[in-house]
Amino acid sequence: MWKQFLSKLPHKSSKSSVASDSTPNHFGSNATNSGSSIQRTVSGGNAVSGRTAATVKRMSSAIFPSSVVAGIEPLLSFKDVPNHEKPNLFISKLNLCCVVFDFSDPNKNSVEKDLKHQTLMDLAEYVSTTTTRFTEPMIAASCKMFAANLFRVFTANNRSNSSGGGENEEEEPMFDPSWCHLQGVYDLLLRFIASSSLDAKVGKKYVDHSFILRLLELFDSEDPRERECLKTILHRIYGKFMVHRPFIRKAVSNIFYKFVFETDRHNGIAELLEVFGSVVSGFALPLKEEHKIFLWRTLIPLHKPRSVGVYLQQLTFCVTQFVEKEPKLASTVIMGLLKYWPVTNSQKEVMFLSELEEVLEATNMSEFQKCMIPLFRRIGYCLSSSHFQVAERALFLWNNDHIVTLVAHNRQVIMPLIFPALERNIRSHWNQAVLNVTLNVKKMFAEMDEELFLSCERKFEEEEDKLIALEEKRRITWERLETAAASQPVTGKTAVLVTPTTTPKIVSSFA
């Protein structure tokens, strides 16, 4: 491949060849220590330096357009130029990296791709080691290069046709064939944003609202490696550019709104929530009204999509952070969970019960009392669920000491709501594990307040006797209606209750 690259070069004089043979190579790992190696010496004004720069210029121009390599030669190494030339070399290398290649065919433009990859590595090393401030032209050229390489539209052909919220647990993740190249650009972007040489006051003009919006659009990538890089970069941008923080929160909220109320699919909800988990952790107290609105209007409705299991862990962390920071929000969160409680999805119901336990752990007594009646009505339905995982997970709430304490202090209200479900489980539930745990919970209630327990037991028996009597009355009423209907003659279009009869089999007389 290197020989093919050299064959593209213009013919040089023997004098020039001798000059270039005497210099080491700076073309990266794919180069060999042959006579084609090139170096620009720092010693000012000598003839060898001029001839070497001209030779390198011809080499890059043989591959990249002349407009890309205008100015200082981009293939030179940073250590081979004086300090005052390094900003120009940095911009020249960035301009070279603005050329985008097609990575669907690994054999196409392989030489150019290798040179660009090496150039990206040189840029990343320079950004990490430099101590001088980035000039405004350097920042502008950097953002231009990042935009040219990263910002792209994900077409329908590259996206899954599932209606879920992105990558489901059963699906294999899709990997971008250009990731080997994108990874170098993302690495450079991360180092650039995190560098102390980047002045946020100057950088905010180029890392602006438009740049941030297009960066957020990349979170819909199906490649989990790209989303992981974006997560770290967004976190660094949020930390460095304080002026952009309200805009980032608003833009991410809009992504969540579109996902919940319109598309019902997005690949990067989990990563965005993970970033916001750390953002919520840093909110100052008392919480601003804007942050509370974000909880009510954005985070709570995220429980609605059927793909909530993909990002529930990150969502639960965000919600519990709010409750821990301001305990008065606990009842609001619990009522929000009850609003979006699943009715026909048992697996989702199990997940809701797990999140409910974490929220209740951070709930104080006064907030608990505001929502305990509708809460334990719902838990009672879960206890008597025919799906054993739902019933078992609801019963496991009583393994939490804080929840048991809350229940014990409000047992006069809670025990009458829960006791019928426990008793029905003991009498008729099909799963032995659920039956065993139900017996333990019932015993706990009996030890908690024996008098109240016996009162609930008597009341339950009375209700059961009433139900039996009501059922018997209903049966007798229907029998009377059937008798009366059978004794009346059929006239006109009178409705008739027909009792099904069995037709005797006709036996053929033919042998």
Side-chain angles (χ1 to χ4, degrees), residues 222-240:
E222 293 198 346
D223 194 325
R225 301 168 298 182
E226 182 170 12
R227 300 198 302 270
E228 193 69 22
C229 287
L230 286 164
K231 179 183 69 177
T232 308
I233 290 167
L234 179 62
H235 189 271
R236 293 298 179 91
I237 290 176
Y238 189 90
K240 186 146 197 165

Side-chain angles (χ1 to χ4, degrees), residues 56-76:
V56 179
K57 182 89 170 184
R58 288 197 299 271
M59 292 178 71
S60 58
S61 297
I63 296 178
F64 293 95
S66 58
S67 60
V68 174
V69 294
I72 190 171
E73 169 52 46
L75 296 182
L76 291 172

